[in-house]
Amino acid sequence: MLEQWFACELHCHTVHSDGDFTVESLLKTARERKLDGICLTDHNTQSGVPEAQKAGILPVLGGMEWTTYFGHMPVLDCRHDVDWRDALPDTIDEKLRQVHENGGICGVAHPFQIGTPICTGGHWDYKVQDWSLVEYIEIWSEGSPFLNTANRRAIKLWESILDKGYRLTPTLGRDWHRPTNNMYPAACTYLLCDGGKLTPEKMKIAIRNGRTVVSAGPLFYFETETGATVGDTIAAGDTELIIHTNTDRADTVPQANGYNPQAVRIFTNGGKMLSEIPIDGGDLRITLPLEAAHWYRAELWGEIDGKPDCQLAVTAPIYTE
Amino acid sequence: MNTEILLDTRVHLTPESEKMNISLAFCVPADAEKLRIIYSYAPKELAGAVGERLAEECLLRDAGAFRGEYPAAASFLPLKNLVTLSLDDPHGYRGAAHRQAPQQEHILTASEASPGFYAGAIAAGEWTLTLNVHALVTEFCDCDIQIECEEGEQNA
């Protein structure tokens, strides 16, 4: 089955913690936003997950946002609740291992949110030793993503971890608590999954494998001639990248913004911008000399509602051997 | 239907309690069918000059060199105490109520539970209610906890 991109929201709350959404209203609002799937990540509980999964409105990957004193860590699809209450900065790796032993995956939520007492525990203070124990990091949290200081710092943190040779999947977390807009209406994380019906298991695999694009709305990704794409590992050397952009889904979301993609920027190790290429609709091809043991990721820039110089989308990296 | 009070206590917190878990053990008798947890804490909020100073310290700590890109400390007032409840039965975690309300009431039975908690057997034995002190910004904060159980007909 051919792979397919699905629009998902990976960070949602309901009345099971401090959200205003009921489980049903969250799912219906997600469907109105043309989302294909969500992760339910209430603070310190999975009590809403059975109802959400039984509702049959959208595929729901169950999880819990560990809302600790030293950081917020979404844990997805963990068979058994590992205790979040005694997590400590210096020994967090042990907790990450326990989550993995129970089949779960771990993320870093809004690492540069202002923390206690303004947003309790919201600032990431954990000293992860082995980043291979963390699957993903929210590089965009609520707010106007690219103007948000915390998000810009999150991208720098993400790049610094990639530079150490770890693979870390970028995600968007709307941190959705209520229907009011706290981000562009069509913003989402696109997940590349096996085609056909989306399932929670496919969402989990896509996050684990780095097959994501963080977006204000447009679908934007790249692939090689042989079909390798974000999350994959390819040989170094001159490589042609085919870059795709479309706003088909984004344009159908109620109150959608107007998008005008204008340029693609390619970034690599050290956060260095390798190339900036203007685009004018349709696909773009560019050949780049890829170095060994590097990461390469793309960003889409352009206008949102006529406002210039907006970051429209950020892809996960492709890696070289 | 008999109602039995399993725990009725006040916990006095101070700023030193922040980031602590305070566990309160209670014993659930055989034949218990329903637990009711009644919880409140006060004070909830802190404003004024002390609050503004704490907010500024927080912003300087977490925004660091980017402090200038955030609004004035006063815009983050009032600061709030946040003391949430989490629950464990003799076999494991039964959920949490992570929310701001300083007055809460929760029930658990075999088939139903208040939002945040897991429905399931009200097993006899030692349970633990834990106060999770996420933020404690006032000079003190008093938490009142009462836990009742309802027992089955055979004990009535």
Side-chain angles (χ1 to χ4, degrees), chain A residues 44-45 69 84-85 115-116 149, chain B residues 21 61-62 69 88 93 116:
Chain A
N44 297 335
T45 186
Y69 310 135
W84 58 271
R85 291 165 293 192
T116 309
T149 303
Chain B
N21 302 308
R61 183 194 66 216
D62 289 342
E69 300 181 31
D88 294 79
Y93 193 61

Side-chain angles (χ1 to χ4, degrees), chain B residues 4-156:
Chain B
E4 188 180 338
I5 293 174
L6 306 182
L7 184 75
D8 187 0
T9 193
R10 167 170 283 198
V11 177
H12 183 77
L13 303 177
T14 65
E16 287 68 42
S17 314
E18 192 170 273
K19 297 185 168 60
M20 288 176 68
N21 302 308
I22 295 157
S23 292
L24 305 168
F26 60 98
C27 196
V28 172
D31 304 324
E33 291 190 344
K34 183 178 195 174
L35 285 185
R36 183 188 305 278
I37 301 166
I38 301 151
Y39 173 54
S40 65
Y41 62 95
K44 175 68 183 173
E45 296 184 341
L46 175 71
V50 177
E52 198 169 333
R53 181 176 56 76
L54 286 178
E56 185 61 37
E57 284 172 10
C58 174
L59 287 157
L60 286 171
R61 183 194 66 216
D62 289 342
F66 302 92
R67 170 66 188 95
E69 300 181 31
Y70 289 85
S75 69
F76 294 93
L77 300 183
L79 297 177
K80 292 174 179 144
N81 289 333
L82 180 63
V83 185
T84 65
L85 298 179
S86 55
L87 184 67
D88 294 79
D89 71 14
H91 308 292
Y93 193 61
R94 289 292 289 264
H98 188 95
R99 63 200 61 145
Q100 289 287 347
Q103 276 113 30
Q104 304 175 13
E105 188 170 328
H106 309 286
I107 60 116
L108 287 95
T109 72
S111 58
E112 284 184 307
S114 298
F117 295 99
Y118 303 163
I122 307 301
E126 187 172 288
W127 289 53
T128 308
L129 184 75
T130 302
L131 304 182
N132 308 115
V133 189
H134 295 272
L136 208 301
V137 291
T138 53
E139 273 182 72
F140 67 89
C141 177
D142 284 322
C143 304
D144 291 317
I145 305 105
Q146 191 175 76
I147 303 176
E148 301 171 355
C149 84
E150 287 178 11
E151 292 164 9
E153 293 298 315
Q154 58 268 49
N155 279 9

